[in-house]
Amino acid sequence: MSGFRYDSTGVNPDGYSLLPDNTWHVLEIDEALEMTSKSGHPMVKCVCVPVDPDYVGVRIWHYVTFLPPTEPGAGIAVHWLKTIGEPWEGSIAVKPQSWCGQRFLAYVTQEEYKGKKNNKISKVQSSAADPPSDYDDPFAN
């Protein structure tokens, strides 16, 4: 190969854009990948995207770890399932593939990791529930 021309005008050198810090957004689950946490528990890596057309191309990774009921934080996964409209009570079959396309409200903050700022989902709420008082709906008339 002898080379080629490439126009990098408008390309973010960090490879990603950020949502504004400390704001609510409607997100949609684009991918849900089954994994295992470092401690050996089932975990799902969700790739979420904003539905607001002003933020096309933004992707946020959110990890949901399924802990035993005796461990602190076990309720987080149950709250997640309930938020996205999945079965959450009793003994259930978790099917992450069915999460794709589910929408929810997310409170997005920014955190620094390895010298770079990243979006982080700090709180989640069903998009069918009443929105928080500080949520500014981009689709409202």
Side-chain angles (χ1 to χ4, degrees):
M1 185 172 185
S2 62
F4 57 92
R5 295 196 50 78
Y6 172 72
D7 183 359
S8 65
T9 305
V11 175
N12 181 344
D14 293 325
Y16 58 90
S17 299
L18 296 172
L19 293 175
D21 196 19
N22 298 312
T23 53
W24 285 96
H25 296 273
V26 177
L27 300 181
E28 181 173 292
I29 302 168
D30 190 48
E31 297 176 55
L33 309 166
E34 292 182 49
M35 307 173 79
T36 302
S37 72
K38 289 179 184 177
S39 58
H41 299 295
M43 181 171 72
V44 178
K45 173 184 172 182
C46 297
V47 179
C48 305
V49 295
V51 299
D52 186 336
D54 289 344
Y55 300 108
V56 170
V58 173
R59 298 167 64 82
I60 302 173
W61 286 258
H62 183 65
Y63 296 84
V64 182
T65 305
F66 291 81
L67 301 170
T70 56
E71 289 196 30
I76 294 171
V78 173
H79 175 70
W80 172 257
L81 291 171
K82 191 174 177 183
T83 296
I84 63 170
E86 290 290 307
W88 57 274
E89 295 179 284
S91 179
I92 57 169
V94 178
K95 298 179 182 176
Q97 299 79 13
S98 70
W99 300 3
C100 294
Q102 298 287 358
R103 291 183 176 188
F104 62 98
L105 275 172
Y107 190 74
V108 178
T109 58
Q110 293 178 2
E111 67 177 6
E112 193 167 320
Y113 180 71
K114 294 186 178 183
K116 290 188 177 183
K117 281 192 173 185
N118 297 295
N119 283 134
K120 177 183 177 181
I121 297 173
S122 300
K123 303 175 199 173
V124 295
Q125 177 178 315
S126 167
S127 59
D130 289 333
S133 60
D134 58 344
Y135 172 66
D136 183 22
D137 186 349
F139 302 105
N141 293 329

